[in-house]
Amino acid sequence: MMAMRAFITTVLLTAAAAASAQDASLTGFGPASSAAERGIEQRVDASIGSADLDGWLRRLTSAPNQVGSAHNKENADFIAASLRQWGWDVTVEPVRVLVAYPTTQTLSLSGGDHYAADFSEPAVAGDPDTTRKDGVLPGMEAYSPDGRVDAPLVFVNEGLARDYDELAQLGESVKGKVVLVKSSGAGRWVKPRLAQEHGAVGVVIYSDPEADGFPKGEVYPGGAWRTDRTVQRGTLGIDSVLDAKGAKTLQAEHRTGDLAIPVVTIGYGDAEHFLRALAGKPVPLRWQGGLPLAYHVGGDAGVHLEVRSPWEWRTLYNVVATLRGSTWPDEWVIRGVHHDAWVYGAWDPLAGTTALLAEAKALGEQARAGQRPKRTVVFASWDGEELGILGSKAWAERHASELAKHAVFYLNNDTTGRGFLAAGGDPSLAALVDGVAADLKDPETGASVQARRLAKRAVDAAGKGKDASGDLIPERLGTGSDYLPFAHRFGVPSLHVRYGYDRNGDDESVPVYHSLYDTYTHYQRFGDPGLAYVSLLAKTNARLVLRTANADVLPWRYTAFAESLGKDIDRVQAGAEATHREAQRHNALVATDAYRLASVSYRQWKAPAAVDDAWEPVDLTTLRAAQQDLLAAARTYDEAAASAGDLPASRAAKVNAALRTFASAWLQPSGLPQRSWYRHLLQAPGRKEGEDVAPLPGIGDALGAKDWAQARQELALTTQATRKAAASLRAATAAL
Amino acid sequence: MMAMRAFITTVLLTAAAAASAQDASLTGFGPASSAAERGIEQRVDASIGSADLDGWLRRLTSAPNQVGSAHNKENADFIAASLRQWGWDVTVEPVRVLVAYPTTQTLSLSGGDHYAADFSEPAVAGDPDTTRKDGVLPGMEAYSPDGRVDAPLVFVNEGLARDYDELAQLGESVKGKVVLVKSSGAGRWVKPRLAQEHGAVGVVIYSDPEADGFPKGEVYPGGAWRTDRTVQRGTLGIDSVLDAKGAKTLQAEHRTGDLAIPVVTIGYGDAEHFLRALAGKPVPLRWQGGLPLAYHVGGDAGVHLEVRSPWEWRTLYNVVATLRGSTWPDEWVIRGVHHDAWVYGAWDPLAGTTALLAEAKALGEQARAGQRPKRTVVFASWDGEELGILGSKAWAERHASELAKHAVFYLNNDTTGRGFLAAGGDPSLAALVDGVAADLKDPETGASVQARRLAKRAVDAAGKGKDASGDLIPERLGTGSDYLPFAHRFGVPSLHVRYGYDRNGDDESVPVYHSLYDTYTHYQRFGDPGLAYVSLLAKTNARLVLRTANADVLPWRYTAFAESLGKDIDRVQAGAEATHREAQRHNALVATDAYRLASVSYRQWKAPAAVDDAWEPVDLTTLRAAQQDLLAAARTYDEAAASAGDLPASRAAKVNAALRTFASAWLQPSGLPQRSWYRHLLQAPGRKEGEDVAPLPGIGDALGAKDWAQARQELALTTQATRKAAASLRAATAAL
């Protein structure tokens, strides 16, 4: 047995050691340039520490901020004016976009008690913002197709593929019916589309309390959690709302692309009335939620559902500000956060925008004092994120060729709170994040941010009876915020950071998600009282930006990247084999009548049918060999870079040029075969339940579709990219 | 990859093959004796099929049946008279026992609304038994110490060790307070004792709906599940209530042995009032239950709790009936089920008693027709099981020397329903159970009982992404019913069987457990409509009894037994190592301040203290070697026995004598060092959360207490027993 205490102690003390080693060189810097950088960071910290965070947050959240609202435009103007005042070169780039906010919404029980849902959210004591109703959107799904149906209501749990399988086993169907589904388990835009595929004529999405209501804690205003009248807004929008030609068709038809059935969203207080009206079969146990009744499938009680929106053109305002780099102006470090919100948006996203203001002020002051960053820094305040990441996508498409030429790093914020630094993104950024976290002091413990990250990981692992071993590699990014076009389409090494606290896996920022109650008052009580973590987030962002912008050599490290690729290959192989084994096992159970025998007759379950278990093994050996070679090249580079010292600018430039070809090696310019908007060979949004990001998506998609030829093709492309990336690292090593 | 379909098909079709192979010899029988046995079984089935099951169940459940009630005594008399009439030699053995049923119970809120709990259960529509209140015990904990306290109420989840650890981390204590705990997670007698150890002055146990209330399905009478006014009765009684001297002390002091604080039990409707009155800190997420509110720890709201009982002597009536064996009268096959209940007791236990009557009638008829079993069959209808397994324990102690000389098998029933055969017990009995299950037809599918068992196992395993491989070995027995003295103290190979259906691990018989609503009507609606499974249970029991009683050679097989011992050695070793590793990991986290850093300050959690992580490895090599030798001997014996054919009685007798020394080899006559009532080296009731039965308890207890010398001593004893058992099998093989 290993010496456990010694091991854990070492892991935890690494952070403390790093934090105290103020003399050591920063990643990407030599001794001299490190000292200069630390000086800048100290001055930036002082500026952030004296910034008017509370005033900005109060101002930004003082009125509703949805796309098209006056105050969202005011915020864009305020942000633009502020950055201009601090010396940034600011442009406000408008984007025309089709918007459908329902203005008519009805959901009522056709039967005895004629109960009708209420899409508004009542005021709560002690939060003045909740009493004002001017310009507040009701609970709704933006881009719901117009429609009016009278049909039976049927409950289908989370409305995901597995739920429809189980519904079929109960002998029930959603054909011609309105489905009632929980908001949990997947992005809400998935649910109406699956419902429509199964023949449903309307969709009601509700937030079950099990996810973020009273079972998690006291509800607002007594505590932070979701009340029975808290509605989670959302969007069903897709890219075509950005595209004038496609959008005109949508406008004419009052529907959203592939989606033609009306959709509403309600709170759990309303949902309880509808669930109580449902009789019929008892649900599978897995479907039961947190309301105090036995849930039933229904299919008997009728509802009237009606949705109508004016389908209107609105303007998004992306605010994009630049501080031109002093040494390498053609290398861009981009940092973004959106400013639109569903209502006031204190948690989501304006605490992050408050941090951006503080950073911009500090960087502007430094530039005026002669400390202009070496690389160009681009600060972006995106609009239209809530409607479908519209602003950042439009901007990235418009500036695609510049991005390809100039972008070296994209840093994103969105919802943020207090507690622990969470960083997701490209594994090559791990060393940068670790270094920044080690240098920052956590406001509530006095320990370093890195020490808290490591402690949390060790304690969480211990709770599962495990040791926390290995490095803290950021998880690759999924689909939830403005990093989407940068990470997944343009292949810019991207990072998403926030502060937060997951209590047993439950993010305490969730409860007021997309509701009226995401206010300044809620944030100051439960988000980050005193805004100490907004200040810390600004310092964190500033360091991440500056340590990239000012580094002699881009501060990327690749050993963790190559190891992560190795794990992804294992996951894809294991996943494909498990899927195949499961299909065979299932079919064997079907063939032997085991499903019927294992059920009980009074439940009247229908045994499932056999599935396609065709299978061809795809040999990943060459990709594994390429990955091993990449790992060797990565180790060599990382060691050489760590001991490089202060480099002359010309040599550094050569190294940086080589490193930039590493990032672009992973792009498939024609896009992934089954989802051509996405271009990254190593990452795309997950398509399976519970999988935020799909590893090796080209190969994985093809295996999922049983297209073995395509899988081999994607495998060859990925192998080739891996070799190319290894060559980039060898060139970078040679240039050092 | 293996050929999955072929594999599963083979597993599933084995049962069908066995069922159709009516010509094959039965385990323990040669060809000639098999044919005779099958003839008897057919006639027994016919008799059971024509028995008056419904009339008996109706009669047995027609009035309350707790110990001391008139109707429980009437049932004993009726069972005795019936068996006598069917030709059995019947004795009714009385046992004097101290009983404390509370007659005064108060639990009320001292604060504003003065709510008082109601310990009665209201009538429900359509179930006439629930309207009669004569002689119905209220919701109560038998043997609660008398007491009267006014103290603050504090909620401690399930009231187990881990919950008290977490309470300490919240900075709260139960000292001088009344604790409110859920009934789930462990036997209820554990909870008051743990509460008292932590300084509590009273205990309230309630059934949270998450366990068996509305979240599981419609409540009674709409469905089978627990209503808000359903109370789970229980006992805090211990052995000393059987012992006149010790019991007189209890009677004088109105307390139960080590327990001195009053205890009540309530339903979740009452519990909700008390939980709503609790403020204070929010509970750890794990503690939240199914009621529609955020649970709090409390400690502020005061309650008045009072319990008083007359501590009176009552008589238990064990009915024990014998059919003397025709060939080997000194070998006893014992089959038991209790007849006392908390109220009417249709599920628990009188459906099982109904089966016993049918079996007794059929066996009696066969005996009268000249087909007396070869071994002596003892049928026992136990009393006082609900008060603490009192009747069977008293009888087994009284007849200990006879048991040692004569008992070859103990077969138990208790709560039973419909669906799948569940059999727990000694692994040497697996072949007997498999053979019986393969020969019986399931009433609702027409497949064999074995085919359904195998299908359920395969489908359950597939649900976890696994194959069901290997044999269906019954799990060793825990502590829940009358098998306790036979299996754990006297080392009789024991089996507990029932029919039931676990839906995702939830036993559908649970909801009315120990309540008024465990009635004939509930049973006929949700237990076993038409009693087809009571009939099947009777046939199952009759075969298990007769195939043991009539076998030439006892139908035990030992390969599975030896393999199971191998797994137990692995479990004990892995468990001990995991405990040690966990202690080291915990102490490392304490030493590095990781618990504090991983928490958030606004929760005000107190980091736990370091634990004792002393450790000495105990070398299990010699035990493993002995187990391997036992496995070799078992394989040799099992093969030889399978091909033995019809044996002359004298040779069979020699084999049987050797086999009986196998079972007794595992007894430690002085008892396990830390719980001397238990004597079996391989099994004892589990002491850890979620562990029903502890493997190798002598070794495990010593390791848990860090008594390394004792662990080595127990290891030596177990190794010696394993060698002795292997020698028994070699002697049996030689005698074949």
Side-chain angles (χ1 to χ4, degrees):
Chain A
M1 295 196 42
M2 60 187 305
M4 186 73 51
R5 182 186 295 198
F7 169 73
I8 296 185
T9 307
T10 305
V11 168
L12 293 174
L13 297 186
T14 305
S20 68
Q22 289 286 337
D23 303 328
S25 287
L26 299 171
T27 306
F29 293 77
S33 53
S34 283
E37 170 67 13
R38 286 195 195 279
I40 295 169
E41 291 177 3
Q42 272 172 24
R43 291 188 294 276
V44 164
D45 282 359
S47 171
I48 289 171
S50 65
D52 183 21
L53 303 177
D54 184 70
W56 291 334
L57 182 63
R58 182 61 275 197
R59 175 183 184 134
L60 293 167
T61 61
S62 61
N65 289 314
Q66 68 274 19
V67 165
S69 67
H71 195 259
N72 186 39
K73 172 71 165 62
E74 279 169 35
N75 279 346
D77 291 340
F78 170 69
I79 294 162
S82 300
L83 269 70
R84 223 170 259 136
Q85 179 192 335
W86 297 326
W88 294 67
D89 183 13
V90 180
T91 61
V92 178
E93 297 199 19
V95 184
R96 290 293 281 173
V97 56
L98 181 65
V99 174
Y101 297 139
T103 46
T104 299
Q105 291 193 108
T106 314
L107 173 70
S108 56
L109 274 169
S110 316
D113 75 350
H114 290 292
Y115 182 81
D118 183 343
F119 300 93
S120 73
E121 296 166 297
V124 301
D127 189 342
D129 285 329
T130 65
T131 63
R132 297 175 28 212
K133 300 297 172 202
D134 280 7
V136 171
L137 288 175
M140 49 93 234
E141 294 288 346
Y143 301 106
S144 164
D146 282 9
R148 179 191 169 122
V149 295
D150 287 277
L153 186 68
V154 59
F155 173 63
V156 203
N157 194 31
E158 295 178 323
L160 304 180
R162 187 176 160 198
D163 300 321
Y164 286 100
D165 290 349
E166 291 187 3
L167 191 75
Q169 284 164 36
L170 293 172
E172 300 287 340
S173 137
V174 303
K175 217 173 152 59
K177 297 176 189 154
V178 172
V179 306
L180 175 65
V181 297
K182 299 174 186 166
S183 60
S184 52
R188 56 207 306 121
W189 52 89
V190 173
K191 298 164 191 259
R193 291 175 167 92
L194 266 170
Q196 181 175 284
E197 274 174 36
H198 285 87
V201 297
V203 178
V204 182
I205 302 178
Y206 82 101
S207 296
D208 196 280
E210 69 184 356
D212 49 21
F214 58 81
K216 295 298 168 68
E218 216 57 60
V219 302
Y220 196 57
W225 298 88
R226 183 178 294 273
T227 69
D228 62 344
R229 293 285 302 278
T230 304
V231 187
Q232 190 185 121
R233 291 159 188 75
T235 186
L236 309 174
I238 49 167
D239 290 333
S240 55
V241 299
L242 277 173
D243 154 17
K245 200 167 153 232
K248 280 203 174 125
T249 316
L250 303 183
Q251 187 176 29
E253 296 181 0
H254 283 206
R255 55 183 280 179
T256 296
D258 53 331
L259 189 66
I261 61 178
V263 187
V264 292
T265 179
I266 58 176
Y268 62 79
D270 272 343
E272 184 168 345
H273 284 275
F274 292 91
L275 283 164
R276 286 198 186 275
L278 299 183
K281 300 193 176 154
V283 297
L285 267 190
R286 208 174 56 80
W287 296 17
Q288 175 73 24
L291 289 166
L293 65 138
Y295 289 34
H296 287 78
V297 169
D300 41 4
V303 291
H304 174 75
L305 169 64
E306 186 172 356
V307 179
R308 271 202 316 262
S309 307
W311 292 67
E312 300 171 317
W313 289 89
R314 301 282 192 177
T315 306
L316 305 181
Y317 299 95
N318 287 324
V319 181
V320 180
T322 305
L323 266 190
R324 188 178 158 81
S326 61
T327 312
W328 295 297
D330 288 340
E331 295 184 6
W332 294 2
V333 172
I334 311 172
R335 178 264 191 271
V337 57
H338 70 97
H339 60 253
D340 67 302
W342 278 118
V343 190
Y344 301 105
W347 287 81
D348 180 8
L350 293 164
T353 299
T354 300
L356 178 136
L357 289 172
E359 297 153 38
K361 182 168 181 243
L363 266 64
E365 286 170 355
Q366 287 302 300
R368 281 195 179 153
Q371 291 291 349
R372 186 168 280 275
K374 292 184 180 171
R375 292 181 177 78
T376 294
V377 173
V378 180
F379 268 32
S381 181
W382 309 118
D383 203 352
E385 194 269 355
E386 297 297 3
L387 289 178
I389 314 181
L390 301 183
S392 54
K393 277 202 286 204
W395 186 87
E397 291 290 350
R398 268 190 207 166
H399 298 270
S401 64
E402 292 154 276
L403 283 179
K405 265 182 271 175
H406 305 304
V408 297
F409 178 43
Y410 178 72
L411 171 66
N412 195 67
N413 286 174
D414 199 328
T415 303
T416 192
R418 61 180 153 172
F420 301 87
L421 174 65
D426 194 283
S428 63
L429 307 176
L432 172 66
V433 175
D434 290 347
V436 167
D439 278 1
L440 287 166
K441 193 188 263 190
D442 173 71
E444 68 177 31
T445 61
S448 77
V449 165
Q450 182 76 339
R452 286 199 85 185
R453 288 175 88 199
L454 290 165
K456 180 84 164 78
R457 196 175 57 139
V459 169
D460 285 353
K464 294 174 189 152
K466 287 181 183 166
D467 302 323
S469 56
D471 300 321
L472 258 175
I473 306 298
E475 291 270 312
R476 284 183 178 275
L477 296 168
T479 182
S481 189
D482 291 300
Y483 49 73
L484 184 76
F486 300 96
H488 292 290
R489 184 159 168 85
F490 298 109
V492 183
S494 297
L495 197 66
H496 176 69
V497 304
R498 66 177 181 91
Y499 282 86
Y501 173 54
D502 294 334
R503 184 166 63 130
N504 298 16
D506 282 303
D507 188 328
E508 296 206 336
S509 72
V510 169
V512 290
Y513 181 66
H514 288 189
S515 78
L516 173 70
Y517 309 107
D518 180 359
T519 58
Y520 172 84
T521 303
H522 192 284
Y523 198 77
Q524 278 283 15
R525 286 188 59 200
F526 305 109
D528 178 18
L531 308 189
Y533 281 90
V534 171
S535 175
L536 179 62
L537 178 66
K539 290 173 189 164
T540 308
N541 289 324
R543 272 179 177 64
L544 291 167
V545 164
L546 289 172
R547 288 192 187 180
T548 308
N550 291 336
D552 302 325
V553 171
L554 288 166
W556 309 161
R557 291 292 180 270
Y558 298 94
T559 304
F561 186 105
E563 285 170 349
S564 157
L565 173 57
K567 283 180 198 150
D568 283 348
I569 297 170
D570 293 345
R571 277 173 66 195
V572 166
Q573 174 143 28
E577 284 170 4
T579 302
H580 175 54
R581 209 160 41 231
E582 204 173 295
Q584 287 187 300
R585 193 186 286 129
H586 172 85
N587 287 351
L589 294 172
V590 170
T592 53
D593 204 19
Y595 284 114
R596 185 179 68 88
L597 295 181
S599 161
V600 281
S601 62
Y602 64 92
R603 293 212 167 270
Q604 301 177 291
W605 275 25
K606 306 206 171 185
V611 296
D612 175 12
D613 62 359
W615 168 254
E616 253 182 63
V618 172
D619 182 1
L620 299 174
T621 314
T622 54
L623 177 56
R624 273 183 201 286
Q627 179 265 333
Q628 285 297 310
D629 181 58
L630 179 69
L631 182 58
R635 285 184 174 142
T636 306
Y637 173 79
D638 287 357
E639 278 168 31
S643 55
D646 286 302
L647 285 187
S650 61
R651 264 171 67 200
K654 270 191 198 163
V655 180
N656 291 330
L659 295 185
R660 293 189 54 203
T661 63
F662 179 93
S664 60
W666 306 105
L667 286 183
Q668 185 164 359
S670 59
L672 302 178
Q674 298 189 22
R675 33 180 165 170
S676 63
W677 191 86
Y678 294 92
R679 293 183 182 160
H680 203 291
L681 286 163
L682 302 188
Q683 63 190 19
R687 289 175 148 185
K688 295 180 198 159
E689 224 171 295
E691 189 181 68
D692 202 36
V693 53
L696 303 173
I699 302 170
D701 286 355
L703 290 175
K706 296 178 187 290
D707 186 339
W708 320 114
Q710 191 183 84
R712 274 185 282 271
Q713 228 165 30
E714 291 294 307
L715 181 63
L717 280 173
T718 309
T719 305
Q720 200 180 326
T722 307
R723 289 183 187 135
K724 207 169 141 193
S728 299
L729 292 186
R730 292 206 165 92
T733 308
L736 267 172
Chain B
M1 293 195 47
M2 60 184 308
M4 187 73 51
R5 182 184 297 199
F7 168 74
I8 295 185
T9 307
T10 307
V11 168
L12 292 173
L13 296 185
T14 306
S20 68
Q22 288 287 335
D23 303 329
S25 288
L26 299 169
T27 306
F29 293 77
S33 54
S34 283
E37 170 67 13
R38 287 194 194 282
I40 294 168
E41 290 177 5
Q42 273 171 25
R43 292 189 294 275
V44 164
D45 282 358
S47 170
I48 289 171
S50 66
D52 183 21
L53 303 177
D54 184 69
W56 290 334
L57 182 63
R58 184 59 277 197
R59 174 182 185 136
L60 292 167
T61 61
S62 60
N65 288 314
Q66 68 273 20
V67 165
S69 68
H71 195 259
N72 185 38
K73 172 69 165 65
E74 279 170 33
N75 278 347
D77 291 341
F78 170 70
I79 294 161
S82 300
L83 268 71
R84 223 168 257 135
Q85 177 193 334
W86 297 325
W88 294 68
D89 183 12
V90 180
T91 60
V92 177
E93 297 199 18
V95 183
R96 290 293 280 173
V97 55
L98 181 65
V99 174
Y101 296 140
T103 45
T104 298
Q105 291 193 109
T106 313
L107 173 68
S108 56
L109 273 171
S110 315
D113 76 349
H114 291 291
Y115 182 81
D118 183 344
F119 300 93
S120 73
E121 294 166 297
V124 301
D127 189 341
D129 285 328
T130 65
T131 62
R132 298 174 29 213
K133 300 295 172 200
D134 281 5
V136 171
L137 289 175
M140 49 93 233
E141 295 289 346
Y143 300 107
S144 163
D146 282 10
R148 178 194 171 121
V149 293
D150 288 276
L153 187 68
V154 58
F155 173 62
V156 202
N157 193 31
E158 295 178 322
L160 304 180
R162 189 177 157 196
D163 301 320
Y164 286 100
D165 288 348
E166 291 187 2
L167 190 74
Q169 284 164 39
L170 293 172
E172 300 286 340
S173 137
V174 303
K175 215 170 157 60
K177 297 176 188 154
V178 172
V179 305
L180 174 66
V181 296
K182 299 174 185 166
S183 61
S184 52
R188 56 206 308 118
W189 53 90
V190 172
K191 297 163 191 261
R193 290 175 169 92
L194 266 171
Q196 181 175 287
E197 273 174 35
H198 285 86
V201 297
V203 179
V204 182
I205 302 178
Y206 82 101
S207 297
D208 195 280
E210 70 183 356
D212 50 19
F214 58 80
K216 294 300 167 68
E218 216 57 63
V219 302
Y220 196 57
W225 298 88
R226 182 178 295 272
T227 68
D228 61 344
R229 294 284 304 274
T230 304
V231 187
Q232 191 186 119
R233 290 161 188 75
T235 185
L236 308 175
I238 48 166
D239 290 332
S240 55
V241 299
L242 277 171
D243 154 14
K245 203 170 148 232
K248 281 203 173 125
T249 316
L250 303 184
Q251 187 176 28
E253 296 181 0
H254 283 205
R255 57 184 280 179
T256 296
D258 52 333
L259 189 67
I261 60 177
V263 186
V264 293
T265 179
I266 58 176
Y268 62 78
D270 271 343
E272 186 168 345
H273 285 274
F274 292 92
L275 283 164
R276 285 197 186 277
L278 299 183
K281 300 195 176 152
V283 297
L285 268 188
R286 209 174 55 80
W287 295 18
Q288 176 72 26
L291 289 167
L293 66 138
Y295 290 35
H296 287 78
V297 169
D300 41 4
V303 292
H304 174 74
L305 170 63
E306 185 172 357
V307 178
R308 271 203 314 262
S309 308
W311 291 68
E312 300 171 318
W313 289 88
R314 300 284 192 177
T315 306
L316 306 181
Y317 298 95
N318 287 324
V319 181
V320 180
T322 306
L323 266 189
R324 189 178 158 83
S326 61
T327 313
W328 296 297
D330 288 340
E331 295 185 7
W332 295 2
V333 172
I334 311 171
R335 177 265 191 269
V337 58
H338 70 97
H339 59 253
D340 65 304
W342 278 119
V343 190
Y344 301 107
W347 287 81
D348 178 9
L350 293 162
T353 299
T354 300
L356 177 137
L357 288 172
E359 297 153 40
K361 182 168 182 244
L363 266 64
E365 285 169 358
Q366 286 304 300
R368 278 195 180 148
Q371 290 293 349
R372 187 169 280 274
K374 291 184 180 169
R375 292 181 177 79
T376 293
V377 173
V378 180
F379 268 33
S381 181
W382 308 119
D383 203 352
E385 194 268 355
E386 298 297 3
L387 289 179
I389 313 181
L390 300 183
S392 55
K393 277 201 285 203
W395 186 89
E397 291 288 351
R398 265 189 209 166
H399 297 270
S401 63
E402 292 154 275
L403 283 179
K405 266 183 270 177
H406 305 304
V408 298
F409 179 42
Y410 178 72
L411 171 65
N412 196 66
N413 285 175
D414 199 329
T415 303
T416 192
R418 61 181 152 171
F420 301 87
L421 174 65
D426 194 283
S428 64
L429 308 175
L432 171 68
V433 174
D434 290 347
V436 166
D439 278 2
L440 287 166
K441 193 188 266 192
D442 172 72
E444 68 177 31
T445 61
S448 77
V449 166
Q450 183 74 342
R452 285 200 87 186
R453 289 176 87 199
L454 290 165
K456 181 84 164 78
R457 196 175 56 139
V459 169
D460 285 352
K464 294 175 189 151
K466 287 183 183 166
D467 303 323
S469 57
D471 299 320
L472 257 175
I473 306 298
E475 290 270 313
R476 284 183 178 276
L477 296 167
T479 183
S481 189
D482 291 300
Y483 48 72
L484 184 76
F486 301 96
H488 292 289
R489 184 160 168 85
F490 299 108
V492 182
S494 297
L495 197 66
H496 176 68
V497 304
R498 67 178 179 90
Y499 282 87
Y501 173 55
D502 292 336
R503 183 165 66 127
N504 299 15
D506 282 304
D507 188 327
E508 296 206 337
S509 70
V510 168
V512 292
Y513 180 67
H514 289 190
S515 80
L516 173 71
Y517 308 107
D518 180 359
T519 59
Y520 172 85
T521 304
H522 191 285
Y523 197 78
Q524 278 283 14
R525 287 186 60 200
F526 304 110
D528 179 19
L531 308 190
Y533 281 89
V534 172
S535 174
L536 179 62
L537 179 66
K539 291 172 189 165
T540 308
N541 288 324
R543 271 178 176 68
L544 290 167
V545 164
L546 288 171
R547 288 191 188 180
T548 307
N550 291 336
D552 301 327
V553 171
L554 288 167
W556 310 160
R557 291 292 180 268
Y558 297 95
T559 305
F561 186 104
E563 286 170 348
S564 155
L565 173 57
K567 283 180 198 150
D568 283 348
I569 298 170
D570 293 344
R571 277 173 65 198
V572 166
Q573 175 142 30
E577 284 171 3
T579 301
H580 176 53
R581 211 162 37 233
E582 205 173 293
Q584 285 188 299
R585 193 185 286 127
H586 172 84
N587 287 351
L589 294 171
V590 171
T592 54
D593 203 20
Y595 284 114
R596 183 180 69 89
L597 294 181
S599 164
V600 280
S601 61
Y602 64 91
R603 293 214 167 270
Q604 301 177 292
W605 276 24
K606 305 205 171 190
V611 297
D612 175 11
D613 62 0
W615 170 254
E616 254 182 61
V618 172
D619 181 2
L620 298 174
T621 316
T622 54
L623 177 56
R624 274 182 201 285
Q627 178 266 335
Q628 284 297 311
D629 181 60
L630 179 69
L631 181 59
R635 284 183 175 142
T636 307
Y637 173 78
D638 287 356
E639 279 167 33
S643 56
D646 286 302
L647 286 187
S650 61
R651 262 172 66 201
K654 269 190 199 163
V655 180
N656 290 331
L659 295 185
R660 293 188 54 203
T661 63
F662 180 93
S664 59
W666 306 105
L667 287 182
Q668 184 164 0
S670 59
L672 303 179
Q674 298 189 19
R675 31 181 167 172
S676 62
W677 191 84
Y678 295 93
R679 292 181 182 163
H680 203 291
L681 286 164
L682 304 187
Q683 63 190 21
R687 290 176 149 185
K688 295 179 199 162
E689 225 171 294
E691 189 181 70
D692 203 36
V693 53
L696 304 172
I699 302 170
D701 287 356
L703 290 175
K706 296 179 187 290
D707 186 339
W708 321 113
Q710 191 183 84
R712 274 185 281 271
Q713 223 164 34
E714 290 295 304
L715 180 65
L717 280 172
T718 309
T719 306
Q720 199 180 330
T722 307
R723 288 182 187 136
K724 205 168 144 194
S728 300
L729 293 187
R730 294 207 164 92
T733 308
L736 268 172

